[in-house]
Amino acid sequence: MLLGGILLVVQALQFASALDLPAGSCAFEEGTCGFDSVFAFLPWILNEEGHYVYVDTSFAKQGEKAVLLSSDLQAEDWNCLRLVYQITAPLGPVSEPSQLNLYVRFEDESFDRLLWSTKEPSDSWLIASLDLPNSSKKFKILIEGVLGQGNTASIALFEIKMTAGYCIECDFEENHLCGFVNRWNPNVNWFVGGGTVKNTHSVLPQDHTFRSEQGHYMYVDSVYVKHFQEVAQLISPMTTAPMSGCLSFYYQLQQGNDNVFTLYTRDMAGLYEEIWRVDSPGSASWNLAEVEFSAPYPMEVIFEVAFNGPKGGYVALDDISFSPVHCQNQTGLPFSAVETSCDFETDLCNFYQDKDGPGWTRVRVKPNMYRAGDHTTGAGHYLLANTKFTFQPGYIGRLYGPSLPGNMQYCVRFHYAIFGFLKMSDTLAVYIFEENHVVQEKIWSVLESPRGVWMQAEISFKKPMPTKVVFMSLCKSFWDCGLVALDDITIQLGNCRSPERLPPPPGECTFDQDECAFTQEKRNRSSWHRGRGETPTSYTGPKGDHTTGVGYYMFIEASHMVYGQKAHLLSQPLRGIPGKHCLTFFYHMYGGGTGLLSVFLKMEEEHKETLLWRRHGEQSISWLRALVEYSCRRQHQIIFEAIRGVSIRSDIAIDDVKFQAGPCTEMEDTTQQSSGYSEDLNEIEY
């Protein structure tokens, strides 16, 4: 149940009147502003006196849900969606708390994308700030409330507001302060300054936005400080979409005083990184600061002030803004993830190697039963070092990546496979090369690895100077040389191990955590199984999954089935839409008795299934990529059907399933040729 006094709080803190709210917004004063309850679920109830909608256990049971759906919206510019809400729960711990979820439903996608979720109860309203990247697609906002345990459980929505701009921007003119919060400290805190009320003994400035006493800003004043060396922190909303560009703000501080003003970022793991600090007090008026800001994953911005002595004075802050272009004072080269990544399908991209010696060779292996293909598609190109053409004792092949700006956190991911070596140590190593000091530092090397399996490696690093990533293959002796394969290199900003805020999109599944939303009509020894490593039967099935080499995939175990027996794996119900869908997945069909793998489409309320794709018999020792393009305007499911072949050597596996809106941008390579070598000027194909 809602607290009786909450209405007065909300009235005092309304964002704006209903007449001023833009599209996709609602204050629930007299109605729901085009937001409608979805008929198949519980209704959201509009309070008789207005101001909020709610669902509670007075008319519903635990586990039931209410869904609120907006009208069609469009955001050709970046927008910030702010949601004012409250979840109430009974006193004491509960095993199943209420949950509030917010989804985005694009017009051309058959599933809803989870943008935000919370189970946090409170005695008053809370604010969630969610970034909506610019898109030409129409979309709808879907808000789902799931009631939890307890007779007093309830969920209320007080206001939804969608405005142009980024959620980390703020001029501090509205009561909600754009979702910025002060980390309360009994000693020193941020306060709202300006307006007609004077609440400090210091002579504070006029605000920067309006240049008048009517405007507002944030400030920290040392007059309240009792103990020094403590800090005041103003914390931004957590970013919910990747962004990179220039963060700017205006600040003012009293010259010559004992204060330190610093700007940090903080990720979900609580890791701080300083990105700016006041070097000199600047002028007595408002000063502009511009800072390069990159948030490839969820991140907060923290404005921190520390007072080191009794003459700390004050620090004021106003008009925080963000631009997706680099700052004017940026001297280094901008970073581009596209330019620093390569799948080697067409060339070496922006990678290069030493001129001395043949080094790395770009090769292609057509699907066969004896040698693994590339990681990208199973039938494409990758790099190979120490081939039989270059067996030399002590041979070293170096592959250099493009130049990376200094003082930035990077995550390098790549796939590699090792063949033939007796001792794996240092057969492949990764170095970083500091260009200004001609220094190489080893940051990763192979210790032990399954032979012939594509393995994923992740490396995080940060250096103050511009660097290059160098992949080095070493053949230590003539008697212990082999092959080192390299593919799908990506270099992105951020830490590889940073925790994810949200689950992966509902249209993607790697099977590493669970079976996602896939289901089976029955589960027994002849069903689809989730497994890792090799399948139980020899000479059939994969040696590892496609995603990382050590993760999970779905497979049928032929030794548990009889000839012709079927196993069905069903997707979640997918919404029908006009236009085309593209389904991509990787499949593994290796074994002399391999049977049949098919993909069917089953429409709602129809028993007939439509065949979309099929492969029969042994295909390759590698994972191969499948691209399936189809259209369906009605709700439907995708079914993966595997049929056991004539012998126990007929295990079939799938991995990395992905549904995408629109037609497939590439065509599937269905060529099947026997192994053999052919060479041209640019590549070796075998």
Side-chain angles (χ1 to χ4, degrees), residues 84-101:
V84 185
Y85 68 96
Q86 182 190 9
I87 298 176
T88 59
L91 296 175
V94 292
S95 58
E96 294 293 335
S98 298
Q99 184 167 345
L100 186 60
N101 305 314

Side-chain angles (χ1 to χ4, degrees), residues 104-407:
V104 177
R105 175 179 292 181
F106 286 102
E107 62 176 347
D108 63 345
E109 292 186 345
S110 56
F111 46 81
D112 301 324
R113 293 184 175 270
L114 179 63
L115 185 62
W116 170 83
S117 180
T118 184
K119 295 181 179 179
E120 181 182 3
S122 67
D123 295 329
S124 61
W125 58 269
L126 299 175
I127 297 179
S129 301
L130 311 169
D131 286 293
L132 297 176
N134 48 302
S135 172
S136 60
K137 301 178 183 179
K138 290 183 179 180
F139 65 93
K140 294 182 179 183
I141 299 297
L142 188 150
I143 302 173
E144 176 186 74
V146 183
L147 285 171
Q149 185 180 9
N151 295 328
T152 58
S154 70
I155 304 171
L157 305 177
F158 298 106
E159 184 152 321
I160 305 166
K161 187 175 183 182
M162 191 172 84
T163 55
Y166 296 80
C167 290
I168 58 173
E169 296 180 315
C170 197
D171 59 10
F172 303 108
E173 297 302 330
E174 298 185 75
N175 290 319
H176 56 74
L177 302 180
C178 317
F180 278 76
V181 294
N182 168 69
R183 194 197 72 172
W184 189 83
N185 185 318
N187 193 39
V188 58
N189 291 278
W190 285 89
F191 295 97
V192 179
T196 57
V197 179
K198 300 297 182 182
N199 52 2
T200 177
H201 301 291
S202 300
V203 179
L204 293 173
Q206 296 179 341
D207 91 310
H208 179 266
T209 312
F210 297 116
R211 303 283 184 175
S212 73
E213 292 185 354
Q214 301 303 314
H216 297 84
Y217 53 87
M218 300 298 293
Y219 75 96
V220 187
D221 196 336
S222 65
V223 71
Y224 302 110
V225 177
K226 300 176 182 177
H227 305 284
F228 300 107
Q229 301 299 329
E230 292 196 30
V231 298
Q233 290 188 335
L234 184 67
I235 305 171
S236 78
M238 184 78 71
T239 61
T240 59
M243 60 180 68
S244 179
C246 186
L247 181 69
S248 62
F249 55 91
Y250 286 87
Y251 70 94
Q252 189 174 136
L253 51 93
Q254 291 177 304
Q255 298 189 41
N257 286 311
D258 298 328
N259 54 49
V260 180
F261 185 25
T262 313
L263 181 61
Y264 295 93
T265 60
R266 183 173 66 183
D267 64 17
M268 292 291 292
L271 179 65
Y272 282 77
E273 182 178 355
E274 181 181 316
I275 59 174
W276 178 86
R277 178 186 290 255
V278 172
D279 294 327
S280 60
S283 67
S285 59
W286 289 100
N287 298 277
L288 173 65
E290 294 184 323
V291 185
E292 282 295 316
F293 174 69
S294 177
Y297 45 80
M299 192 175 289
E300 296 168 324
V301 174
I302 298 178
F303 294 87
E304 182 180 280
V305 174
F307 294 108
N308 298 322
K311 297 181 179 180
Y314 69 84
V315 176
L317 172 70
D318 203 3
D319 292 341
I320 303 169
S321 63
F322 177 80
S323 170
V325 298
H326 291 275
C327 299
Q328 295 180 358
N329 60 6
Q330 175 73 4
T331 57
L333 295 174
F335 172 81
S336 170
V338 175
E339 295 181 0
T340 56
S341 303
C342 195
D343 61 10
F344 306 107
E345 292 303 320
T346 56
D347 53 30
L348 296 183
C349 308
N350 292 310
F351 289 77
Y352 66 94
Q353 55 185 323
D354 287 333
K355 295 181 180 179
D356 299 333
W360 295 85
T361 305
R362 181 170 163 267
V363 303
R364 181 187 186 194
V365 176
K366 295 179 179 179
N368 66 89
M369 307 310 123
Y370 311 103
R371 188 178 295 277
D374 79 319
H375 178 265
T376 313
T377 68
H381 295 80
Y382 61 93
L383 295 188
L384 195 64
N386 300 346
T387 69
K388 72 175 186 178
F389 303 113
T390 58
F391 276 178
Q392 301 174 30
Y395 171 81
I396 295 177
R398 294 185 180 91
L399 180 73
Y400 293 85
S403 181
L404 304 174
N407 203 33

Side-chain angles (χ1 to χ4, degrees), residues 295-608:
Y297 45 80
M299 192 175 289
E300 296 168 324
V301 174
I302 298 178
F303 294 87
E304 182 180 280
V305 174
F307 294 108
N308 298 322
K311 297 181 179 180
Y314 69 84
V315 176
L317 172 70
D318 203 3
D319 292 341
I320 303 169
S321 63
F322 177 80
S323 170
V325 298
H326 291 275
C327 299
Q328 295 180 358
N329 60 6
Q330 175 73 4
T331 57
L333 295 174
F335 172 81
S336 170
V338 175
E339 295 181 0
T340 56
S341 303
C342 195
D343 61 10
F344 306 107
E345 292 303 320
T346 56
D347 53 30
L348 296 183
C349 308
N350 292 310
F351 289 77
Y352 66 94
Q353 55 185 323
D354 287 333
K355 295 181 180 179
D356 299 333
W360 295 85
T361 305
R362 181 170 163 267
V363 303
R364 181 187 186 194
V365 176
K366 295 179 179 179
N368 66 89
M369 307 310 123
Y370 311 103
R371 188 178 295 277
D374 79 319
H375 178 265
T376 313
T377 68
H381 295 80
Y382 61 93
L383 295 188
L384 195 64
N386 300 346
T387 69
K388 72 175 186 178
F389 303 113
T390 58
F391 276 178
Q392 301 174 30
Y395 171 81
I396 295 177
R398 294 185 180 91
L399 180 73
Y400 293 85
S403 181
L404 304 174
N407 203 33
M408 301 178 79
Q409 179 81 38
Y410 294 102
C411 170
V412 182
R413 289 187 176 95
F414 59 94
H415 285 82
Y416 68 93
I418 309 294
F419 306 86
F421 287 93
L422 296 177
K423 296 180 180 179
M424 292 230 175
S425 178
D426 288 334
T427 54
L428 176 64
V430 178
Y431 290 76
I432 48 176
F433 176 74
E434 291 192 26
E435 299 177 7
N436 293 356
H437 298 288
V438 197
V439 175
Q440 291 193 32
E441 175 188 348
K442 184 163 71 173
I443 57 175
W444 178 90
S445 65
V446 172
L447 296 177
E448 189 62 39
S449 173
R451 286 166 177 76
V453 178
W454 282 108
M455 305 290 291
Q456 184 189 64
E458 296 181 333
I459 313 166
S460 299
F461 73 91
K462 180 180 179 180
K463 290 293 178 180
M465 305 298 293
T467 60
K468 292 182 179 180
V469 176
V470 184
F471 295 86
M472 183 181 297
S473 174
L474 173 63
C475 179
K476 294 183 178 179
S477 72
F478 178 82
W479 303 108
D480 190 16
C481 268
L483 308 176
V484 178
L486 186 63
D487 202 5
D488 293 341
I489 301 173
T490 63
I491 304 178
Q492 297 174 313
L493 293 175
N495 191 306
C496 298
R497 294 299 180 182
S498 178
E500 297 291 337
R501 181 184 176 89
L502 294 174
E508 301 179 18
C509 189
T510 65
F511 303 108
D512 285 338
Q513 299 298 322
D514 51 35
E515 295 179 15
C516 306
F518 285 92
T519 59
Q520 300 188 63
E521 295 174 350
K522 60 180 181 179
R523 290 181 181 271
N524 51 41
R525 286 163 57 88
S526 59
S527 304
W528 285 91
H529 303 280
R530 178 171 167 266
R532 67 191 304 186
E534 298 186 38
T535 59
T537 309
S538 59
Y539 299 105
T540 185
K543 294 181 179 180
D545 80 319
H546 176 264
T547 316
T548 64
V550 294
Y552 288 84
Y553 56 89
M554 297 297 292
F555 73 101
I556 63 165
E557 174 52 44
S559 63
H560 296 163
M561 306 170 71
V562 297
Y563 173 59
Q565 194 169 8
K566 300 177 181 179
H568 292 125
L569 187 67
L570 288 73
S571 74
Q572 66 180 20
L574 301 171
R575 190 172 56 254
I577 57 169
K580 295 183 177 180
H581 309 255
C582 181
L583 165 66
T584 66
F585 64 94
F586 285 82
Y587 63 98
H588 198 282
M589 300 176 71
Y590 166 62
T594 303
L596 201 65
L597 177 63
S598 306
V599 177
F600 292 96
L601 181 147
K602 182 181 181 181
M603 286 187 282
E604 185 181 31
E605 298 180 354
E606 283 196 9
H607 298 291
K608 184 180 179 181

